[in-house]
Amino acid sequence: MRLSLRPRDDSYYEMFTDSANNLVIGARLLVELMSDGADREAITEKMRACEHAGDDATHAIMRRLNKSTATPIHREDIYRLASNLDDVMDSMDAAVDLIGLYGLERLPKGIIDQIEVLERAAELTAEAMPRLRSLEDLTRYWIEINQLENQADRIYRKLLAHLFSGEYDALTVLKLKDVIEELETAADAFEHVANTVETIVVKNS
């Protein structure tokens, strides 16, 4: 058993878990958005509420960090993890917002493949956050997230090829490209979360 004289403030872990659970909600809203007859306006509002909740959670972590004289893990890692989690939500929210702003009625079917990767990454991240307390059983998490990010890259390249196949006019290509790039950025951000978790485990094991 590892012994430490440093205080254990479990509230950080609870806040990380809350942030990650919020990402699961956001990813499932993306799935809902792709369903037939989806109420896009309502989903956009729900996603915006998720984004605000994510911001509130991040600010709460930063306020606690600013007031803390000692932390259970390195301060820079707390800051980085909170920021990484927030980045995921920002990109998912941006993708949904762009779909509405651009008035995109028809989306390439391949986008659902991107979204399914994000949903799985969100679920894995939410499962992993509570385990930061013990720093145990986390290796498989970052390995699986890395594999998902590689899958997301392949889907992204395939979608780009489809966009430039001639099926869409030039303006629609630009609009769709913005959306799939935000979803790709979200997948990258999930990997950044996993990389930060790996760093925390290495530093504190």
PDB file of all heavy atoms in Angstrom, residues 7-38:
ATOM      1  N   PRO A   7      -2.488  15.518   1.891  1.00  0.00           N
ATOM      2  CA  PRO A   7      -3.933  15.379   2.147  1.00  0.00           C
ATOM      3  C   PRO A   7      -4.654  14.837   0.925  1.00  0.00           C
ATOM      4  O   PRO A   7      -4.291  15.142  -0.202  1.00  0.00           O
ATOM      5  CB  PRO A   7      -4.368  16.822   2.439  1.00  0.00           C
ATOM      6  CG  PRO A   7      -3.348  17.675   1.755  1.00  0.00           C
ATOM      7  CD  PRO A   7      -2.057  16.911   1.838  1.00  0.00           C
ATOM      8  N   ARG A   8      -5.674  14.045   1.157  1.00  0.00           N
ATOM      9  CA  ARG A   8      -6.469  13.508   0.065  1.00  0.00           C
ATOM     10  C   ARG A   8      -7.778  14.284   0.003  1.00  0.00           C
ATOM     11  O   ARG A   8      -8.615  14.170   0.892  1.00  0.00           O
ATOM     12  CB  ARG A   8      -6.739  12.020   0.264  1.00  0.00           C
ATOM     13  CG  ARG A   8      -5.499  11.162   0.101  1.00  0.00           C
ATOM     14  CD  ARG A   8      -5.870   9.679   0.139  1.00  0.00           C
ATOM     15  NE  ARG A   8      -6.786   9.330  -0.927  1.00  0.00           N
ATOM     16  CZ  ARG A   8      -6.393   9.002  -2.162  1.00  0.00           C
ATOM     17  NH1 ARG A   8      -5.106   9.009  -2.461  1.00  0.00           N
ATOM     18  NH2 ARG A   8      -7.278   8.680  -3.073  1.00  0.00           N
ATOM     19  N   ASP A   9      -7.924  15.096  -1.024  1.00  0.00           N
ATOM     20  CA  ASP A   9      -9.143  15.863  -1.238  1.00  0.00           C
ATOM     21  C   ASP A   9      -9.935  15.167  -2.338  1.00  0.00           C
ATOM     22  O   ASP A   9      -9.725  15.408  -3.529  1.00  0.00           O
ATOM     23  CB  ASP A   9      -8.784  17.298  -1.633  1.00  0.00           C
ATOM     24  CG  ASP A   9     -10.015  18.174  -1.759  1.00  0.00           C
ATOM     25  OD1 ASP A   9     -11.133  17.633  -1.687  1.00  0.00           O
ATOM     26  OD2 ASP A   9      -9.862  19.392  -1.928  1.00  0.00           O
ATOM     27  N   ASP A  10     -10.827  14.274  -1.930  1.00  0.00           N
ATOM     28  CA  ASP A  10     -11.571  13.470  -2.899  1.00  0.00           C
ATOM     29  C   ASP A  10     -12.529  14.292  -3.740  1.00  0.00           C
ATOM     30  O   ASP A  10     -13.061  13.784  -4.725  1.00  0.00           O
ATOM     31  CB  ASP A  10     -12.340  12.349  -2.184  1.00  0.00           C
ATOM     32  CG  ASP A  10     -11.430  11.199  -1.776  1.00  0.00           C
ATOM     33  OD1 ASP A  10     -10.256  11.211  -2.180  1.00  0.00           O
ATOM     34  OD2 ASP A  10     -11.904  10.303  -1.056  1.00  0.00           O
ATOM     35  N   SER A  11     -12.746  15.546  -3.358  1.00  0.00           N
ATOM     36  CA  SER A  11     -13.680  16.363  -4.134  1.00  0.00           C
ATOM     37  C   SER A  11     -13.192  16.563  -5.565  1.00  0.00           C
ATOM     38  O   SER A  11     -14.005  16.686  -6.487  1.00  0.00           O
ATOM     39  CB  SER A  11     -13.895  17.723  -3.465  1.00  0.00           C
ATOM     40  OG  SER A  11     -12.677  18.451  -3.408  1.00  0.00           O
ATOM     41  N   TYR A  12     -11.872  16.593  -5.777  1.00  0.00           N
ATOM     42  CA  TYR A  12     -11.359  16.707  -7.142  1.00  0.00           C
ATOM     43  C   TYR A  12     -11.806  15.525  -7.987  1.00  0.00           C
ATOM     44  O   TYR A  12     -12.245  15.694  -9.124  1.00  0.00           O
ATOM     45  CB  TYR A  12      -9.828  16.774  -7.148  1.00  0.00           C
ATOM     46  CG  TYR A  12      -9.265  18.097  -6.720  1.00  0.00           C
ATOM     47  CD1 TYR A  12      -8.605  18.224  -5.508  1.00  0.00           C
ATOM     48  CD2 TYR A  12      -9.378  19.231  -7.530  1.00  0.00           C
ATOM     49  CE1 TYR A  12      -8.071  19.440  -5.103  1.00  0.00           C
ATOM     50  CE2 TYR A  12      -8.854  20.446  -7.143  1.00  0.00           C
ATOM     51  CZ  TYR A  12      -8.194  20.541  -5.919  1.00  0.00           C
ATOM     52  OH  TYR A  12      -7.668  21.751  -5.523  1.00  0.00           O
ATOM     53  N   TYR A  13     -11.703  14.328  -7.435  1.00  0.00           N
ATOM     54  CA  TYR A  13     -12.083  13.135  -8.178  1.00  0.00           C
ATOM     55  C   TYR A  13     -13.573  13.127  -8.477  1.00  0.00           C
ATOM     56  O   TYR A  13     -14.003  12.699  -9.563  1.00  0.00           O
ATOM     57  CB  TYR A  13     -11.685  11.883  -7.402  1.00  0.00           C
ATOM     58  CG  TYR A  13     -10.225  11.859  -7.035  1.00  0.00           C
ATOM     59  CD1 TYR A  13      -9.818  11.762  -5.703  1.00  0.00           C
ATOM     60  CD2 TYR A  13      -9.237  11.957  -8.016  1.00  0.00           C
ATOM     61  CE1 TYR A  13      -8.478  11.751  -5.373  1.00  0.00           C
ATOM     62  CE2 TYR A  13      -7.889  11.947  -7.682  1.00  0.00           C
ATOM     63  CZ  TYR A  13      -7.514  11.848  -6.356  1.00  0.00           C
ATOM     64  OH  TYR A  13      -6.187  11.841  -6.025  1.00  0.00           O
ATOM     65  N   GLU A  14     -14.354  13.597  -7.520  1.00  0.00           N
ATOM     66  CA  GLU A  14     -15.803  13.670  -7.739  1.00  0.00           C
ATOM     67  C   GLU A  14     -16.128  14.659  -8.856  1.00  0.00           C
ATOM     68  O   GLU A  14     -17.009  14.403  -9.684  1.00  0.00           O
ATOM     69  CB  GLU A  14     -16.498  14.073  -6.438  1.00  0.00           C
ATOM     70  CG  GLU A  14     -16.420  13.010  -5.356  1.00  0.00           C
ATOM     71  CD  GLU A  14     -16.790  13.542  -3.980  1.00  0.00           C
ATOM     72  OE1 GLU A  14     -17.156  14.747  -3.896  1.00  0.00           O
ATOM     73  OE2 GLU A  14     -16.714  12.774  -3.014  1.00  0.00           O
ATOM     74  N   MET A  15     -15.416  15.776  -8.889  1.00  0.00           N
ATOM     75  CA  MET A  15     -15.670  16.770  -9.925  1.00  0.00           C
ATOM     76  C   MET A  15     -15.218  16.274 -11.293  1.00  0.00           C
ATOM     77  O   MET A  15     -15.881  16.534 -12.314  1.00  0.00           O
ATOM     78  CB  MET A  15     -15.005  18.100  -9.562  1.00  0.00           C
ATOM     79  CG  MET A  15     -15.725  18.846  -8.444  1.00  0.00           C
ATOM     80  SD  MET A  15     -15.099  20.526  -8.156  1.00  0.00           S
ATOM     81  CE  MET A  15     -13.601  20.171  -7.233  1.00  0.00           C
ATOM     82  N   PHE A  16     -14.094  15.559 -11.339  1.00  0.00           N
ATOM     83  CA  PHE A  16     -13.667  14.955 -12.608  1.00  0.00           C
ATOM     84  C   PHE A  16     -14.717  13.963 -13.107  1.00  0.00           C
ATOM     85  O   PHE A  16     -15.025  13.905 -14.300  1.00  0.00           O
ATOM     86  CB  PHE A  16     -12.325  14.229 -12.444  1.00  0.00           C
ATOM     87  CG  PHE A  16     -11.145  15.136 -12.272  1.00  0.00           C
ATOM     88  CD1 PHE A  16     -10.110  14.785 -11.416  1.00  0.00           C
ATOM     89  CD2 PHE A  16     -11.048  16.320 -12.981  1.00  0.00           C
ATOM     90  CE1 PHE A  16      -9.012  15.612 -11.269  1.00  0.00           C
ATOM     91  CE2 PHE A  16      -9.945  17.154 -12.841  1.00  0.00           C
ATOM     92  CZ  PHE A  16      -8.933  16.798 -11.975  1.00  0.00           C
ATOM     93  N   THR A  17     -15.259  13.180 -12.174  1.00  0.00           N
ATOM     94  CA  THR A  17     -16.279  12.204 -12.541  1.00  0.00           C
ATOM     95  C   THR A  17     -17.539  12.891 -13.062  1.00  0.00           C
ATOM     96  O   THR A  17     -18.135  12.450 -14.057  1.00  0.00           O
ATOM     97  CB  THR A  17     -16.614  11.306 -11.337  1.00  0.00           C
ATOM     98  OG1 THR A  17     -15.426  10.609 -10.928  1.00  0.00           O
ATOM     99  CG2 THR A  17     -17.703  10.296 -11.678  1.00  0.00           C
ATOM    100  N   ASP A  18     -17.939  13.975 -12.391  1.00  0.00           N
ATOM    101  CA  ASP A  18     -19.107  14.726 -12.862  1.00  0.00           C
ATOM    102  C   ASP A  18     -18.878  15.264 -14.272  1.00  0.00           C
ATOM    103  O   ASP A  18     -19.775  15.207 -15.130  1.00  0.00           O
ATOM    104  CB  ASP A  18     -19.402  15.893 -11.913  1.00  0.00           C
ATOM    105  CG  ASP A  18     -19.972  15.435 -10.575  1.00  0.00           C
ATOM    106  OD1 ASP A  18     -20.438  14.277 -10.496  1.00  0.00           O
ATOM    107  OD2 ASP A  18     -19.948  16.233  -9.623  1.00  0.00           O
ATOM    108  N   SER A  19     -17.684  15.783 -14.535  1.00  0.00           N
ATOM    109  CA  SER A  19     -17.365  16.301 -15.864  1.00  0.00           C
ATOM    110  C   SER A  19     -17.436  15.203 -16.911  1.00  0.00           C
ATOM    111  O   SER A  19     -17.972  15.395 -18.012  1.00  0.00           O
ATOM    112  CB  SER A  19     -15.968  16.932 -15.877  1.00  0.00           C
ATOM    113  OG  SER A  19     -15.933  18.118 -15.115  1.00  0.00           O
ATOM    114  N   ALA A  20     -16.897  14.035 -16.576  1.00  0.00           N
ATOM    115  CA  ALA A  20     -16.895  12.916 -17.518  1.00  0.00           C
ATOM    116  C   ALA A  20     -18.311  12.394 -17.765  1.00  0.00           C
ATOM    117  O   ALA A  20     -18.671  12.052 -18.895  1.00  0.00           O
ATOM    118  CB  ALA A  20     -15.996  11.800 -17.009  1.00  0.00           C
ATOM    119  N   ASN A  21     -19.129  12.334 -16.715  1.00  0.00           N
ATOM    120  CA  ASN A  21     -20.516  11.905 -16.894  1.00  0.00           C
ATOM    121  C   ASN A  21     -21.279  12.879 -17.792  1.00  0.00           C
ATOM    122  O   ASN A  21     -22.154  12.477 -18.566  1.00  0.00           O
ATOM    123  CB  ASN A  21     -21.218  11.788 -15.536  1.00  0.00           C
ATOM    124  CG  ASN A  21     -20.773  10.570 -14.749  1.00  0.00           C
ATOM    125  OD1 ASN A  21     -20.338   9.571 -15.328  1.00  0.00           O
ATOM    126  ND2 ASN A  21     -20.869  10.638 -13.431  1.00  0.00           N
ATOM    127  N   ASN A  22     -20.926  14.146 -17.707  1.00  0.00           N
ATOM    128  CA  ASN A  22     -21.549  15.149 -18.569  1.00  0.00           C
ATOM    129  C   ASN A  22     -21.179  14.904 -20.034  1.00  0.00           C
ATOM    130  O   ASN A  22     -21.985  15.151 -20.938  1.00  0.00           O
ATOM    131  CB  ASN A  22     -21.101  16.544 -18.129  1.00  0.00           C
ATOM    132  CG  ASN A  22     -21.921  17.648 -18.753  1.00  0.00           C
ATOM    133  OD1 ASN A  22     -23.149  17.605 -18.765  1.00  0.00           O
ATOM    134  ND2 ASN A  22     -21.259  18.659 -19.290  1.00  0.00           N
ATOM    135  N   LEU A  23     -19.979  14.392 -20.270  1.00  0.00           N
ATOM    136  CA  LEU A  23     -19.568  14.060 -21.635  1.00  0.00           C
ATOM    137  C   LEU A  23     -20.389  12.903 -22.195  1.00  0.00           C
ATOM    138  O   LEU A  23     -20.674  12.867 -23.397  1.00  0.00           O
ATOM    139  CB  LEU A  23     -18.079  13.710 -21.679  1.00  0.00           C
ATOM    140  CG  LEU A  23     -17.106  14.821 -21.298  1.00  0.00           C
ATOM    141  CD1 LEU A  23     -15.668  14.332 -21.434  1.00  0.00           C
ATOM    142  CD2 LEU A  23     -17.324  16.070 -22.152  1.00  0.00           C
ATOM    143  N   VAL A  24     -20.754  11.964 -21.347  1.00  0.00           N
ATOM    144  CA  VAL A  24     -21.610  10.856 -21.788  1.00  0.00           C
ATOM    145  C   VAL A  24     -22.955  11.402 -22.253  1.00  0.00           C
ATOM    146  O   VAL A  24     -23.476  11.001 -23.306  1.00  0.00           O
ATOM    147  CB  VAL A  24     -21.809   9.832 -20.653  1.00  0.00           C
ATOM    148  CG1 VAL A  24     -22.809   8.760 -21.080  1.00  0.00           C
ATOM    149  CG2 VAL A  24     -20.477   9.184 -20.274  1.00  0.00           C
ATOM    150  N   ILE A  25     -23.499  12.337 -21.503  1.00  0.00           N
ATOM    151  CA  ILE A  25     -24.773  12.950 -21.897  1.00  0.00           C
ATOM    152  C   ILE A  25     -24.618  13.645 -23.246  1.00  0.00           C
ATOM    153  O   ILE A  25     -25.459  13.502 -24.146  1.00  0.00           O
ATOM    154  CB  ILE A  25     -25.240  13.957 -20.824  1.00  0.00           C
ATOM    155  CG1 ILE A  25     -25.543  13.230 -19.516  1.00  0.00           C
ATOM    156  CG2 ILE A  25     -26.481  14.706 -21.307  1.00  0.00           C
ATOM    157  CD1 ILE A  25     -25.826  14.170 -18.349  1.00  0.00           C
ATOM    158  N   GLY A  26     -23.522  14.394 -23.404  1.00  0.00           N
ATOM    159  CA  GLY A  26     -23.284  15.095 -24.656  1.00  0.00           C
ATOM    160  C   GLY A  26     -23.144  14.145 -25.833  1.00  0.00           C
ATOM    161  O   GLY A  26     -23.707  14.385 -26.915  1.00  0.00           O
ATOM    162  N   ALA A  27     -22.409  13.058 -25.651  1.00  0.00           N
ATOM    163  CA  ALA A  27     -22.211  12.089 -26.733  1.00  0.00           C
ATOM    164  C   ALA A  27     -23.536  11.430 -27.116  1.00  0.00           C
ATOM    165  O   ALA A  27     -23.808  11.186 -28.298  1.00  0.00           O
ATOM    166  CB  ALA A  27     -21.197  11.034 -26.315  1.00  0.00           C
ATOM    167  N   ARG A  28     -24.376  11.159 -26.133  1.00  0.00           N
ATOM    168  CA  ARG A  28     -25.668  10.537 -26.430  1.00  0.00           C
ATOM    169  C   ARG A  28     -26.611  11.518 -27.126  1.00  0.00           C
ATOM    170  O   ARG A  28     -27.471  11.102 -27.908  1.00  0.00           O
ATOM    171  CB  ARG A  28     -26.272   9.968 -25.147  1.00  0.00           C
ATOM    172  CG  ARG A  28     -25.502   8.735 -24.692  1.00  0.00           C
ATOM    173  CD  ARG A  28     -25.952   8.175 -23.371  1.00  0.00           C
ATOM    174  NE  ARG A  28     -25.142   7.000 -23.034  1.00  0.00           N
ATOM    175  CZ  ARG A  28     -25.133   6.408 -21.842  1.00  0.00           C
ATOM    176  NH1 ARG A  28     -25.909   6.875 -20.866  1.00  0.00           N
ATOM    177  NH2 ARG A  28     -24.363   5.355 -21.622  1.00  0.00           N
ATOM    178  N   LEU A  29     -26.453  12.803 -26.865  1.00  0.00           N
ATOM    179  CA  LEU A  29     -27.215  13.804 -27.608  1.00  0.00           C
ATOM    180  C   LEU A  29     -26.791  13.809 -29.076  1.00  0.00           C
ATOM    181  O   LEU A  29     -27.634  13.992 -29.970  1.00  0.00           O
ATOM    182  CB  LEU A  29     -27.014  15.198 -26.993  1.00  0.00           C
ATOM    183  CG  LEU A  29     -27.754  15.459 -25.677  1.00  0.00           C
ATOM    184  CD1 LEU A  29     -27.304  16.785 -25.076  1.00  0.00           C
ATOM    185  CD2 LEU A  29     -29.263  15.458 -25.890  1.00  0.00           C
ATOM    186  N   LEU A  30     -25.506  13.601 -29.328  1.00  0.00           N
ATOM    187  CA  LEU A  30     -25.039  13.488 -30.715  1.00  0.00           C
ATOM    188  C   LEU A  30     -25.683  12.291 -31.407  1.00  0.00           C
ATOM    189  O   LEU A  30     -26.093  12.378 -32.564  1.00  0.00           O
ATOM    190  CB  LEU A  30     -23.518  13.346 -30.744  1.00  0.00           C
ATOM    191  CG  LEU A  30     -22.682  14.603 -30.527  1.00  0.00           C
ATOM    192  CD1 LEU A  30     -21.207  14.234 -30.360  1.00  0.00           C
ATOM    193  CD2 LEU A  30     -22.848  15.578 -31.694  1.00  0.00           C
ATOM    194  N   VAL A  31     -25.757  11.172 -30.700  1.00  0.00           N
ATOM    195  CA  VAL A  31     -26.418   9.985 -31.256  1.00  0.00           C
ATOM    196  C   VAL A  31     -27.875  10.300 -31.569  1.00  0.00           C
ATOM    197  O   VAL A  31     -28.398   9.961 -32.645  1.00  0.00           O
ATOM    198  CB  VAL A  31     -26.322   8.797 -30.274  1.00  0.00           C
ATOM    199  CG1 VAL A  31     -27.155   7.614 -30.779  1.00  0.00           C
ATOM    200  CG2 VAL A  31     -24.861   8.376 -30.081  1.00  0.00           C
ATOM    201  N   GLU A  32     -28.543  10.962 -30.625  1.00  0.00           N
ATOM    202  CA  GLU A  32     -29.956  11.314 -30.812  1.00  0.00           C
ATOM    203  C   GLU A  32     -30.132  12.239 -32.017  1.00  0.00           C
ATOM    204  O   GLU A  32     -31.114  12.131 -32.756  1.00  0.00           O
ATOM    205  CB  GLU A  32     -30.474  12.000 -29.541  1.00  0.00           C
ATOM    206  CG  GLU A  32     -31.954  12.302 -29.555  1.00  0.00           C
ATOM    207  CD  GLU A  32     -32.422  12.970 -28.271  1.00  0.00           C
ATOM    208  OE1 GLU A  32     -31.659  12.967 -27.280  1.00  0.00           O
ATOM    209  OE2 GLU A  32     -33.545  13.522 -28.279  1.00  0.00           O
ATOM    210  N   LEU A  33     -29.174  13.120 -32.217  1.00  0.00           N
ATOM    211  CA  LEU A  33     -29.238  14.066 -33.331  1.00  0.00           C
ATOM    212  C   LEU A  33     -29.286  13.358 -34.676  1.00  0.00           C
ATOM    213  O   LEU A  33     -29.887  13.850 -35.636  1.00  0.00           O
ATOM    214  CB  LEU A  33     -28.028  15.001 -33.285  1.00  0.00           C
ATOM    215  CG  LEU A  33     -27.997  16.168 -34.272  1.00  0.00           C
ATOM    216  CD1 LEU A  33     -29.005  17.234 -33.874  1.00  0.00           C
ATOM    217  CD2 LEU A  33     -26.597  16.768 -34.353  1.00  0.00           C
ATOM    218  N   MET A  34     -28.655  12.192 -34.761  1.00  0.00           N
ATOM    219  CA  MET A  34     -28.584  11.455 -36.020  1.00  0.00           C
ATOM    220  C   MET A  34     -29.806  10.575 -36.273  1.00  0.00           C
ATOM    221  O   MET A  34     -29.933   9.972 -37.331  1.00  0.00           O
ATOM    222  CB  MET A  34     -27.324  10.584 -36.038  1.00  0.00           C
ATOM    223  CG  MET A  34     -26.023  11.371 -36.058  1.00  0.00           C
ATOM    224  SD  MET A  34     -25.832  12.373 -37.544  1.00  0.00           S
ATOM    225  CE  MET A  34     -25.638  11.084 -38.795  1.00  0.00           C
ATOM    226  N   SER A  35     -30.699  10.492 -35.304  1.00  0.00           N
ATOM    227  CA  SER A  35     -31.875   9.629 -35.464  1.00  0.00           C
ATOM    228  C   SER A  35     -32.904  10.291 -36.373  1.00  0.00           C
ATOM    229  O   SER A  35     -32.962  11.517 -36.497  1.00  0.00           O
ATOM    230  CB  SER A  35     -32.493   9.316 -34.101  1.00  0.00           C
ATOM    231  OG  SER A  35     -32.982  10.497 -33.497  1.00  0.00           O
ATOM    232  N   ASP A  36     -33.717   9.466 -37.005  1.00  0.00           N
ATOM    233  CA  ASP A  36     -34.777   9.978 -37.880  1.00  0.00           C
ATOM    234  C   ASP A  36     -35.775  10.802 -37.074  1.00  0.00           C
ATOM    235  O   ASP A  36     -36.215  10.396 -35.994  1.00  0.00           O
ATOM    236  CB  ASP A  36     -35.501   8.820 -38.568  1.00  0.00           C
ATOM    237  CG  ASP A  36     -34.616   8.083 -39.563  1.00  0.00           C
ATOM    238  OD1 ASP A  36     -33.654   8.702 -40.052  1.00  0.00           O
ATOM    239  OD2 ASP A  36     -34.893   6.898 -39.838  1.00  0.00           O
ATOM    240  N   GLY A  37     -36.139  11.950 -37.611  1.00  0.00           N
ATOM    241  CA  GLY A  37     -37.133  12.793 -36.960  1.00  0.00           C
ATOM    242  C   GLY A  37     -36.637  13.499 -35.720  1.00  0.00           C
ATOM    243  O   GLY A  37     -37.438  13.959 -34.889  1.00  0.00           O
ATOM    244  N   ALA A  38     -35.323  13.599 -35.555  1.00  0.00           N
ATOM    245  CA  ALA A  38     -34.758  14.238 -34.371  1.00  0.00           C
ATOM    246  C   ALA A  38     -35.156  15.711 -34.313  1.00  0.00           C
ATOM    247  O   ALA A  38     -35.191  16.404 -35.334  1.00  0.00           O
ATOM    248  CB  ALA A  38     -33.238  14.118 -34.384  1.00  0.00           C
TER     249      ALA A  38
END
